[in-house]
Amino acid sequence: MKKLLLILVAILTFANTNAQIVKPVKWTSKVEKISDTEFNLIMQATIEKDWHVYSQYTPDMGPLPAEFKFENAKGNYELIGKVKESPYKKQYNDVFEVDEYYFANNATFTQKVKIINPKLTTIKGSIDFQVCKEVCINDNNVFTFSIPKMVLETKEAVAEAPVMEVPTADTTQVETVAVDTTKVKEAVAISPTETPKKEDKKGLLTIFFLAFLGGFAALLTPCVFPMIPMTVSFFTKQSKTPAQGKRNAILYGLSIIIIYLILGSLVTGIFGAEALNELSTNVWFNIIFFVLLVVFAVSFLGAFEIMLPNSWANKVDRQADRGGVVGILFMALALAIVSFSCTGPIVGTLLVESASKGGIAPIVGMLGFSSALALPFMLFAMFPSWLSSLPKSGGWLNTVKVSLGFLELALAFKFLSQADLVLQMHLLEREVFLAIWIAIFGAWALYLFGKITTPHDSPLTHISVGRLSMGLIVLAFTVYMIPGLFGAPLKLISAFPPPQTYSESPRGFFGNSSSTDSKVELPEGAELGEHDIITFHDYEDGFAYAKKVNKPIMLDFTGYACVNCRKMEINVWSDEKVLKVLKNDVVLISLYVDDKRMLPESEQYISKETGKTVKTIGNKWSDFIITRYKTNTQPYYVLTDLNETNLNQPIGYTPNIDEYLAWLKDGVGKFK
């Protein structure tokens, strides 16, 4: 009896430590009838505490977005629009510098369909999604929706549809170019730890502040600055009393703000918050944004002027003569039209940048811009004596305009870079991007020093202290970027250029000649991975090499879209003692469970564990971890000997360096 109890305890212990298949998301589905031929297919997720599922609108270089697929080979029904989502939360990922859109606790997805075949009884669909906490899981769920029979005749009520639970091994059934993880290898998913509402407010405040600076810059252009004394003079002469002048000045400033707020509202209203998020991650819209900003930049540099028709200004100006509140409103509109050649490119850039953030960001951006633009007009009209302190108009206004042109041109390449990253064309790798920026900012410095002139510049007899100071700042920034060509991280601008891995030489131009480790001839099938660790991405190649050098194997089950995997590599593996063990004492095999590259047909198979077809490299390693180690989470680390026996208990996310180092040394010690 005692032996029996001991055996039972051993079995339970084994089950507890090895049966680690985690399913933090439970799905239900139902069909909601709209009409005799139209239905809503509703998919609802219940998410365990602290876990997060990511939106289908999550930006590139972020977590893997939810992806939907519906089986409709025979054209039995028509999908109406895209899948709609319940409101998601947004949080900035400071590791990879992207916003994340995610759901906590629950989520609802709705797809509207129109039935074409009246005999259709079921619709099958699936969702591929990522769910993260301290670890990440790439999961898939299949739905079967029951459609009432005789659709064109019946008045049946809403039908509840059964849900088919699917094992978590098949993580890459849907192939979508926009989020191909073999193309965007640094895409990550983070388990948020801060309050999303605070992050949203922080993001909007940043947009407001940048837009406010943009408004101030517009104020210092040749189209706007000279209008300040003209406008102030109008109010002081037309107003019967000082109090009336101040009131009119305030109304004028508010009118400017209202006009630009209407513009921001139109952008948000026409496209919608979700559409703006989608546009920001779309390849072709990023290319369009690039072209737009280049046009704006060339305009500011003096090649041509972007102007609205003169007839518009004349008509609005006539309305401004009416006086009263209506007249003041039309005066503000006249300012917007007349100054468009200078403010248009700035407003356009702000709308493009804020639209990429989605939500009400365009409205907030226009509020910041218009506030900076309106405030001086209001203040100088209220206190005319301040006008004497204003600098006189002159060539310096064109200098401001040209400087904005250089900034517009530099920002344009950010959008082109995003498109190139998604398409993986490798036309704008990190070194090329930095070379372009160095050229742009270097030319700007030369311009500020008077070595380059543009068509509308006044003759420069001397350089002012302000212009010289600005030139030195731009020159210093240009010099700062040069080491980035050779592998420097450039933390000040890390959000703009492509990541280090997306470059001609991921370890810098001199990486292969200056690094002691990189001089070593790489084994067949290996490459220099994170921190120049010799890394295998195929189990058989790594296992063969481990036998050859008689070292233990460290299996690293990871994912391109796993932020905690990246955190371990950046923060823990970089430790001197940990790195020494990884480089010298083990053979590292990193297996990516979200690698969407297809396996050759001869290597595809049906999983004995899950019963699903293993089609991709990621499927293969996902099936491997589930079959052998009874888990589906990443990161997951296993130390084995050359007989494929575990040297110690595998571990997952372990941010404590001492704990991770102790685990490594324990396994290596047992091997020896």
Side-chain angles (χ1 to χ4, degrees):
M1 185 65 181
K2 185 176 180 181
K3 289 183 178 180
L4 182 61
L5 288 173
L6 289 173
I7 293 173
L8 181 59
V9 169
I11 293 174
L12 290 173
T13 302
F14 178 85
N16 185 54
T17 56
N18 290 279
Q20 301 173 17
I21 302 298
V22 181
K23 292 187 69 65
V25 183
K26 304 298 180 185
W27 291 92
T28 59
S29 66
K30 65 180 180 180
V31 178
E32 181 180 78
K33 187 174 181 180
I34 302 173
S35 67
D36 288 340
T37 58
E38 292 184 340
F39 296 84
N40 280 332
L41 309 181
I42 301 174
M43 298 152 281
Q44 296 174 313
T46 301
I47 308 166
E48 290 184 10
K49 185 180 179 182
D50 297 330
W51 288 85
H52 298 96
V53 172
Y54 296 94
S55 163
Q56 60 188 319
Y57 299 110
T58 292
D60 297 324
M61 302 301 292
L64 290 183
E67 300 176 30
F68 294 89
K69 185 177 182 181
F70 295 90
E71 299 179 12
N72 191 23
K74 297 181 180 179
N76 291 317
Y77 60 93
E78 176 187 350
L79 299 176
I80 301 177
K82 293 194 66 174
V83 175
K84 294 184 178 180
E85 303 179 344
S86 55
Y88 53 69
K89 299 179 180 180
K90 183 169 74 172
Q91 176 168 301
Y92 184 71
N93 180 338
D94 57 1
V95 176
F96 288 95
E97 298 173 329
V98 296
D99 286 324
E100 296 176 335
Y101 308 143
Y102 66 92
F103 303 96
N105 301 321
N106 54 70
T108 300
F109 302 92
T110 304
Q111 174 65 64
K112 187 178 180 180
V113 298
K114 181 178 181 180
I115 305 301
I116 299 174
N117 180 4
K119 296 182 180 180
L120 181 69
T121 58
T122 60
I123 294 177
K124 288 188 176 182
S126 64
I127 176 175
D128 281 346
F129 63 96
Q130 185 175 65
V131 55
C132 292
K133 189 171 67 170
E134 289 185 347
V135 294
C136 288
I137 300 169
N138 298 333
D139 208 346
N140 171 277
N141 202 84
V142 174
F143 305 93
T144 299
F145 302 93
S146 294
I147 305 299
K149 296 180 180 179
M150 302 297 291
V151 172
L152 297 178
E153 301 175 7
T154 185
K155 300 292 184 182
E156 292 179 27
V158 173
E160 291 288 332
V163 179
M164 293 177 59
E165 293 290 345
V166 178
T168 58
D170 192 354
T171 63
T172 52
Q173 289 299 307
V174 179
E175 297 173 29
T176 303
V177 173
V179 288
D180 188 345
T181 52
T182 66
K183 294 181 178 180
V184 190
K185 291 193 174 184
E186 290 302 317
V188 297
I190 190 170
S191 179
T193 57
E194 298 179 29
T195 304
K197 290 183 179 178
K198 290 183 179 179
E199 292 294 334
D200 289 346
K201 290 179 181 178
K202 181 180 178 181
L204 292 176
L205 284 173
T206 301
I207 291 171
F208 179 87
F209 177 72
L210 293 175
F212 189 88
L213 291 180
F216 184 71
L219 192 70
L220 300 178
T221 58
C223 312
V224 181
F225 190 82
M227 297 185 70
I228 295 177
M230 293 170 55
T231 305
V232 172
S233 176
F234 172 84
F235 281 125
T236 53
K237 290 179 180 179
Q238 296 296 320
S239 302
K240 296 179 180 180
T241 63
Q244 185 183 17
K246 292 180 180 180
R247 186 182 70 249
N248 289 341
I250 293 173
L251 286 175
Y252 181 70
L254 291 176
S255 298
I256 294 174
I257 294 174
I258 290 170
I259 288 169
Y260 284 101
L261 279 180
I262 291 173
L263 179 60
S265 300
L266 285 174
V267 170
T268 304
I270 291 171
F271 292 101
E274 290 186 352
L276 287 173
N277 290 331
E278 186 178 359
L279 291 183
S280 69
T281 62
N282 182 279
V283 172
W284 299 112
F285 274 94
N286 273 292
I287 293 174
I288 291 172
F289 292 161
F290 164 73
V291 173
L292 271 177
L293 294 188
V294 169
V295 171
F296 292 156
V298 173
S299 171
F300 268 162
L301 291 173
F304 54 84
E305 287 192 351
I306 303 172
M307 298 183 66
L308 295 176
N310 288 330
S311 59
W312 291 17
N314 294 332
K315 289 179 181 179
V316 171
D317 193 51
R318 285 195 295 269
Q319 294 295 325
D321 293 335
R322 295 170 57 182
V325 175
V326 175
I328 291 174
L329 180 62
F330 276 101
M331 278 187 62
L333 184 57
L335 170 69
I337 294 174
V338 172
S339 64
F340 186 80
S341 60
C342 290
T343 60
I346 299 175
V347 170
T349 303
L350 289 172
L351 285 174
V352 166
E353 185 65 22
S354 58
S356 69
K357 304 298 182 184
I360 62 170
I363 299 175
V364 174
M366 289 301 94
L367 177 62
F369 176 84
S370 58
S371 297
L373 195 63
L375 193 60
F377 285 94
M378 295 168 60
L379 291 176
F380 284 112
M382 294 171 67
F383 307 101
S385 60
W386 291 3
L387 281 174
S388 59
S389 62
L390 275 180
K392 294 181 179 181
S393 299
W396 67 273
L397 291 174
N398 192 66
T399 302
V400 173
K401 187 177 177 182
V402 172
S403 295
L404 290 174
F406 282 111
L407 284 174
E408 295 258 8
L409 191 59
L411 183 61
F413 283 93
K414 172 193 173 186
F415 292 96
L416 186 62
S417 172
Q418 290 176 184
D420 182 61
L421 277 168
V422 174
L423 293 175
Q424 283 289 287
M425 297 180 69
H426 287 267
L427 298 176
L428 202 62
E429 293 178 319
R430 184 178 176 89
E431 292 88 350
V432 177
F433 182 96
L434 289 175
I436 291 171
W437 266 39
I438 289 169
I440 291 172
F441 284 91
W444 185 12
L446 290 175
Y447 170 77
L448 292 172
F449 291 138
K451 303 300 181 183
I452 297 175
T453 58
T454 60
H456 301 296
D457 281 321
S458 303
L460 188 65
T461 57
H462 67 280
I463 299 177
S464 66
V465 175
R467 183 165 179 165
L468 177 63
S469 300
M470 189 64 190
L472 290 173
I473 292 172
V474 175
L475 178 61
F477 180 69
T478 305
V479 174
Y480 167 79
M481 288 189 289
I482 294 175
L485 295 171
F486 311 103
L490 303 182
K491 293 182 180 180
L492 285 179
I493 59 169
S494 58
F496 290 94
Q500 188 68 54
T501 53
Y502 194 76
S503 63
E504 295 178 6
S505 179
R507 286 166 296 280
F509 283 171
F510 302 125
N512 291 334
S513 60
S514 63
S515 172
T516 304
D517 294 315
S518 57
K519 293 178 182 178
V520 179
E521 184 177 349
L522 290 173
E524 184 178 354
E527 64 180 48
L528 283 180
E530 193 73 29
H531 310 299
D532 285 347
I533 304 170
I534 295 177
T535 307
F536 292 87
H537 295 293
D538 182 82
Y539 181 78
E540 298 300 330
D541 289 343
F543 187 72
Y545 180 71
K547 280 189 171 182
K548 180 179 178 180
V549 297
N550 192 35
K551 290 183 179 179
I553 297 167
M554 187 177 110
L555 295 178
D556 165 33
F557 290 98
T558 184
Y560 295 124
C562 171
V563 71
N564 282 334
C565 302
R566 301 290 85 76
K567 282 184 176 180
M568 288 293 296
E569 294 163 5
I570 295 170
N571 300 326
V572 179
W573 289 13
S574 60
D575 178 79
E576 183 180 353
K577 294 179 181 178
V578 172
L579 191 57
K580 183 179 179 181
V581 175
L582 294 177
K583 282 188 173 183
N584 302 320
D585 299 333
V586 300
V587 174
L588 177 64
I589 305 177
S590 293
L591 305 176
Y592 288 82
V593 301
D594 55 2
D595 190 331
K596 292 191 175 183
R597 289 176 296 173
M598 298 297 293
L599 290 167
E601 288 190 14
S602 59
E603 296 182 21
Q604 296 180 14
Y605 63 94
I606 303 296
S607 170
K608 294 180 180 179
E609 185 74 21
T610 66
K612 305 194 77 172
T613 302
V614 174
K615 296 181 179 180
T616 67
I617 294 175
N619 291 161
K620 178 180 178 181
W621 303 132
S622 182
D623 185 58
F624 181 61
I625 189 175
I626 288 175
T627 302
R628 181 169 294 189
Y629 299 106
K630 308 303 178 186
T631 188
N632 60 341
T633 62
Q634 298 85 46
Y636 194 71
Y637 306 105
V638 185
L639 285 171
T640 75
D641 60 19
L642 301 180
N643 294 317
E644 300 181 279
T645 302
N646 290 1
L647 293 169
N648 54 9
Q649 183 67 32
I651 62 172
Y653 179 61
T654 311
N656 185 289
I657 294 175
D658 292 335
E659 185 179 345
Y660 191 79
L661 179 62
W663 174 79
L664 280 173
K665 288 185 174 181
D666 175 63
V668 172
K670 289 178 180 177
F671 178 84
K672 292 179 179 179

